[in-house]
Amino acid sequence: MIKEETDWCKVRKDVPIEYAATTFINPCTALRMLEDFVPLNEGDLLVQNGATSIVGQCVIQLAHLRGLRTANIIRERSDFQEVKQRLEGLGASGVFTENEAVSKEIVGDLKGAKLGLNCVGGSAATAVMKLLGENGIMVTYGGMSKKPITVSTSAFIFKNIELKGFWLQKWMSHHSPMDLARMTDYLLGLVHEGKLTYQMEKVPFEEFNTALEKSLGKRGSVMKQVLTFA
């Protein structure tokens, strides 16, 4: 590939290669959604589903660095307590299943969020909307369940919520390579300082077929980001 020098971003050498390879996608998505849709101040609450995804893990940590609270919704799973502890270790204010998220007794004060992030759709999106406060905004950036988003009439009328979408590629088409470089420099700086981390799996290049199947969720029920190396 041949492009102008200004179209490229330099990547610092003092971060692991797997972070250099992935920062341009998931962490950038997390940062843009935190900064581009609604002003968030210290102590404010945001809610998200798909909290175990790489975007979800990054949202938790980036929000925590800003003094924001996060209510995180994950699917029912046998290792729920283990996953909950891991996400809380990243800075999550609360971790709930979909059923728990709609229970006021369990959620406590983790409701009335200004921002909601949805990458699942279906009932998981409904759970996010239930925790939104008045004038809250839900941003959809994925649809892993392949189920539509259903919104109650009361959510529009009485809470005046807004539904928006985000696609990083579209953001990049409207911003300069310098904007992207500044963003990745910031994120890789956090990685270097140990303030941003997420689970990944390295796979030898000769096993790229296995890596591809795992990345598509064809081996096991948990979606993972998988890297291949020569």
Side-chain angles (χ1 to χ4, degrees):
M1 181 182 293
I2 300 175
K3 301 184 74 172
E4 295 291 335
E5 181 181 0
T6 54
D7 290 337
W8 295 92
C9 293
K10 285 186 177 181
V11 175
R12 56 190 299 166
K13 295 180 179 180
D14 55 359
V15 296
I17 190 171
E18 59 266 32
Y19 284 92
T22 56
T23 297
F24 289 91
I25 305 299
N26 297 310
C28 286
T29 295
L31 183 62
R32 292 273 51 90
M33 292 192 298
L34 282 177
E35 296 190 348
D36 291 355
F37 289 92
V38 59
L40 295 170
N41 301 311
E42 186 173 353
D44 285 344
L45 175 68
L46 67 91
V47 56
Q48 66 169 340
N49 57 34
T52 57
S53 68
I54 291 184
V55 171
Q57 294 175 60
C58 290
V59 164
I60 291 171
Q61 293 168 89
L62 293 172
H64 184 66
L65 288 172
R66 290 162 167 74
L68 304 173
R69 297 177 299 141
T70 58
N72 302 276
I73 302 170
I74 65 176
R75 62 181 176 81
E76 298 276 0
R77 50 196 296 165
S78 59
D79 60 345
F80 174 80
Q81 290 300 325
E82 178 183 340
V83 174
K84 179 180 179 180
Q85 290 178 2
R86 177 164 57 83
L87 295 181
E88 288 176 342
L90 296 178
S93 305
V95 181
F96 313 98
T97 64
E98 289 179 26
N99 290 334
E100 289 176 333
V102 298
S103 170
K104 294 181 180 179
E105 293 76 16
I106 294 177
V107 172
D109 65 345
L110 292 179
K111 54 183 181 293
K114 288 188 174 181
L115 177 66
L117 305 177
N118 165 52
C119 67
V120 181
S123 60
T126 302
V128 168
M129 286 185 279
K130 283 189 175 292
L131 296 185
L132 284 178
E134 187 174 354
N135 301 316
I137 294 175
M138 185 175 81
V139 180
T140 293
Y141 65 99
M144 290 190 294
S145 72
K146 296 183 172 61
K147 295 180 180 179
I149 297 170
T150 303
V151 191
S152 67
T153 301
S154 62
F156 281 131
I157 295 177
F158 301 117
K159 294 172 69 174
N160 192 37
I161 69 168
E162 295 183 53
L163 304 183
K164 297 189 176 184
F166 178 78
W167 183 33
L168 182 62
Q169 190 63 42
K170 186 174 183 179
W171 183 93
M172 292 172 64
S173 69
H174 289 86
H175 291 78
S176 70
M178 187 174 297
D179 292 329
L180 178 62
R182 281 194 290 264
M183 180 165 56
T184 54
D185 284 347
Y186 167 69
L187 292 167
L188 288 174
L190 294 179
V191 170
H192 178 65
E193 295 169 10
K195 296 179 179 178
L196 184 65
T197 182
Y198 40 88
Q199 288 189 327
M200 290 176 284
E201 179 181 356
K202 296 180 184 179
V203 178
F205 184 75
E206 59 269 19
E207 298 176 17
F208 74 90
N209 283 326
T210 299
L212 181 59
E213 289 177 356
K214 285 188 175 183
S215 68
L216 295 174
K218 293 182 178 180
R219 294 198 177 202
S221 58
V222 180
M223 295 291 287
K224 293 182 178 179
Q225 177 152 339
V226 181
L227 307 178
T228 59
F229 296 89

